[in-house]
Amino acid sequence: MRLGIDVGGTNTDAVLMKGRQVVSACKTPTTPDVSSGIGAALRRVLASPTIDAREIQAVMIGTTHFTNAVVEGRQLAATAAVRLGAPATLAVPPMTDWPDRLRRALGDHTYVCRGGHEFDGREISPLDPEELRRIATEIGEADVTSVAVTSVFSPVNPEMETAAAAVLTEELPGVRVSLSREIGRVGLFERENATILNASLRPLADRVFDGFEEVVAQAGVRAPLFISQNDGTLLGLDYARRYPVATFASGPTNSMRGAAFLSGVENGVVIDVGGTTTDVGILVGGFPREASVVVHVSGVMTNFRMPDVLSLGIGGGSLVGLERSHVTVGPESVGYRLEERALVFGGPDLTATDIAVAGGLASIGDRDAVDLVGRDVVRQALDRIRQDVAGAVDRMKTSPDPVLAIVVGGGSILLDDDLPGAAEMVRPDNFAVANAIGAAIAQVGGEVDRIYSLDDTRREEALDSARSEAMNRAIVAGADPATVEVVEIEEVPLPYLPSNAVRIRMKAVGDLSLSA
């Protein structure tokens, strides 16, 4: 059996699955410390006397903890950003375009050193170990314990990043070093930004995952723990501690994977209505369509793997108000305090959940508590929700034709079966916990994104090299070698570079090897 848990802004969902069958499922309010909410969900989902926690083979958790830390600018570690690229990259130092609040939170420790490569592997300048040792002294004196190292074109040649990390760890025992080639894609500034964010989150990741391990053990579960990542696959706990940025979009991704699993639909639009937001994304071959442009995380440009998702501030906990005789829904939300604040639960606030109950779309809490809500307010609120969601679907489509829509999430009670732009609305069984199901059924993946010179290498050899590296990365991450296959290939010629350059991105996935 597998146990899937997804921590959202409003609810923490848990499901216990045996093969393709859902054995037990529950929703509990998310707690400020996250771990206690996970503990409550575990106790409820394992409450039946017929369930033996010792039979659980793996626990998969998706969390928004690290996204929230960056958005709020809290719990981030002071981080030194070391770039290898002088004299070619001195004009724009690291973190130049960052919001001031995040620069201050990380301490604004930036350095540009000699090093780096051209796209074809030629050195920009040789690495200077003495320069790195002087920087290490400054970093140590500033009491900084997290370092992000980024070398120009390190996805092509990672040698300088590896060598720089060796010098820094020798000079600063115990320092946590994040290397950009392991985190971002081709593109210096975006890859550097992603690496700095990752480095700033690693101390928090240790605390969070220690808490997860403790609460799972307290529930009597002795199975290994895995963390959901942005592309719908899993990270082992040791990997997740090193790469917390890989979990940023795990919530929407889990919902989309769960929607594909529950509905049997591999291509379509997924509408996930939660307690705080509605996330709209596109399924391609059963996996989320990945963003093809720069992704901004709290004002910071990044280029690591992220699903192409459009989020609206509409959910079950969204506050409903009147503004110049017009009804508004969201983006403000009562969040995880829904059961304290909504009218139907005896609270003082009119929420979207109250509107759903008043409109006859749901039977939750005390129906009499919304008798005084005007019918015109209910109609306008539901129309507003429908129009906003339909607009999001239109923005995500690649053609004007109606599309098949899969509706999941506990807040999907806000939508009826008539949505403009949708050819058909599919609401599968267990739709309310699709996100936790997506975590429970997740596979293990590996990806490579590199630039090859076809003047020196035949195209077939470049593709074989990328395929082998992607599959090996999936196996190292915990995939069963017998099940690993390539699911996505992207090949883009780069005519603006010499040497007949081509960028190849390849993704491989496989089933989790529980025996590994």
Side-chain angles (χ1 to χ4, degrees):
M1 290 195 293
R2 291 184 174 194
L3 181 60
I5 301 171
D6 187 89
V7 183
T10 302
N11 292 306
T12 295
D13 299 345
V15 297
L16 185 62
M17 299 189 68
K18 188 173 184 178
R20 299 183 64 88
Q21 177 187 1
V22 176
V23 176
S24 178
C26 74
K27 272 184 177 290
T28 60
T30 295
T31 54
D33 67 344
V34 177
S35 293
S36 60
I38 292 176
L42 280 170
R43 288 190 294 272
R44 286 187 57 184
V45 83
L46 299 174
S48 171
T50 62
I51 295 175
D52 185 352
R54 293 172 298 181
E55 294 182 10
I56 297 173
Q57 296 173 288
V59 179
M60 293 80 169
I61 299 180
T63 178
T64 60
H65 210 110
F66 304 107
T67 313
N68 295 341
V70 173
V71 170
E72 296 169 4
R74 297 189 300 172
Q75 304 185 76
L76 302 176
T79 299
V82 178
R83 181 194 296 167
L84 311 177
T89 66
L90 294 173
V92 184
M95 301 175 68
T96 295
D97 61 341
W98 282 46
D100 289 341
R101 62 181 184 83
L102 286 179
R103 288 174 64 103
R104 290 194 298 269
L106 271 61
D108 203 10
H109 307 281
T110 62
Y111 307 90
V112 182
C113 311
R114 291 176 59 80
H117 291 86
E118 302 289 356
F119 88 97
D120 57 1
R122 290 179 293 117
E123 285 188 358
I124 293 175
S125 59
L127 193 68
D128 185 346
E130 289 304 316
E131 182 181 25
L132 288 171
R133 291 189 178 96
R134 290 194 298 271
I135 289 172
T137 300
E138 292 185 31
I139 292 172
E141 291 174 349
D143 199 26
V144 174
T145 58
S146 287
V147 179
V149 177
T150 305
S151 179
V152 178
F153 275 114
S154 61
V156 174
N157 190 331
E159 292 177 358
M160 287 196 183
E161 284 190 357
T162 303
V167 173
L168 292 171
T169 52
E170 180 183 353
E171 297 295 316
L172 299 167
V175 71
R176 297 177 176 90
V177 179
S178 295
L179 304 182
S180 76
R181 67 180 176 86
E182 299 174 347
I183 293 166
R185 295 174 172 171
V186 174
L188 175 63
F189 298 126
E190 296 89 345
R191 174 164 45 87
E192 180 177 65
N193 290 344
T195 309
I196 297 169
L197 285 178
N198 189 79
S200 72
L201 290 166
R202 288 185 62 179
L204 175 62
D206 284 338
R207 298 195 298 271
V208 168
F209 295 138
D210 284 347
F212 286 1
E213 285 187 301
E214 182 179 351
V215 76
V216 168
Q218 288 174 349
V221 178
R222 298 293 182 263
L225 184 61
F226 298 89
I227 306 298
S228 300
Q229 63 174 329
N230 300 329
D231 64 354
T233 59
L234 296 172
L235 286 171
L237 203 57
D238 288 341
Y239 267 60
R241 291 179 189 275
R242 291 169 58 190
Y243 311 119
V245 293
T247 71
F248 274 7
S250 62
T253 303
N254 283 341
S255 295
M256 295 177 71
R257 290 282 288 146
F261 175 84
L262 292 171
S263 66
V265 176
E266 292 193 340
N267 298 284
V269 61
V270 175
I271 305 170
D272 174 25
V273 189
T276 306
T277 61
T278 293
D279 298 319
V280 180
I282 302 295
L283 278 176
V284 179
F287 283 86
R289 183 178 70 192
E290 288 192 10
S292 58
V293 296
V294 169
V295 176
H296 285 81
V297 179
S298 194
V300 178
M301 291 192 307
T302 65
N303 67 352
F304 51 87
R305 289 175 294 178
M306 291 280 276
D308 189 7
V309 174
L310 180 60
S311 295
L312 306 174
I314 293 176
S318 295
L319 291 171
V320 178
L322 282 173
E323 187 176 296
R324 298 179 182 178
S325 75
H326 294 290
V327 173
T328 61
V329 182
E332 294 81 9
S333 172
V334 297
Y336 61 83
R337 301 180 65 189
L338 178 64
E339 294 186 4
E340 301 173 22
R341 308 295 301 179
L343 294 179
V344 293
F345 297 119
D349 297 319
L350 178 62
T351 67
T353 295
D354 299 314
I355 294 295
V357 173
L361 297 179
S363 179
I364 302 172
D366 181 10
R367 172 66 176 79
D368 295 338
V370 292
D371 281 346
L372 296 181
V373 180
R375 300 186 67 177
D376 188 54
V377 171
V378 174
R379 178 185 57 78
Q380 285 192 51
L382 292 177
D383 285 347
R384 178 78 274 155
I385 293 169
R386 185 183 300 109
Q387 291 170 15
D388 286 352
V389 173
V393 170
D394 278 342
R395 290 171 62 185
M396 295 299 290
K397 293 191 303 183
T398 56
S399 79
D401 299 329
V403 295
L404 177 66
I406 312 161
V407 185
V408 296
S412 61
I413 57 174
L414 300 173
L415 297 175
D416 56 24
D417 291 333
D418 180 22
L419 185 72
E424 180 183 355
M425 299 276 281
V426 177
R427 204 182 304 263
D429 294 338
N430 296 303
F431 66 88
V433 290
N435 46 7
I437 290 173
I441 57 97
Q443 295 174 296
V444 180
E447 184 185 79
V448 61
D449 185 355
R450 291 186 58 184
I451 294 176
Y452 294 85
S453 170
L454 298 187
D455 278 357
D456 302 325
T457 305
R458 292 189 303 115
R459 174 177 176 271
E460 292 75 15
E461 292 175 348
L463 289 170
D464 287 343
S465 173
R467 181 179 296 106
S468 176
E469 186 173 349
M471 295 178 72
N472 285 337
R473 288 188 180 189
I475 293 168
V476 169
D480 180 352
T483 66
V484 175
E485 60 180 348
V486 172
V487 297
E488 192 173 331
I489 300 175
E490 183 180 324
E491 183 181 1
V492 182
L494 303 176
Y496 53 86
L497 293 179
S499 304
N500 196 15
V502 62
R503 177 181 179 182
I504 296 176
R505 186 174 70 85
M506 202 166 295
K507 177 179 175 181
V509 299
D511 294 337
L512 176 65
S513 176
L514 295 175
S515 61

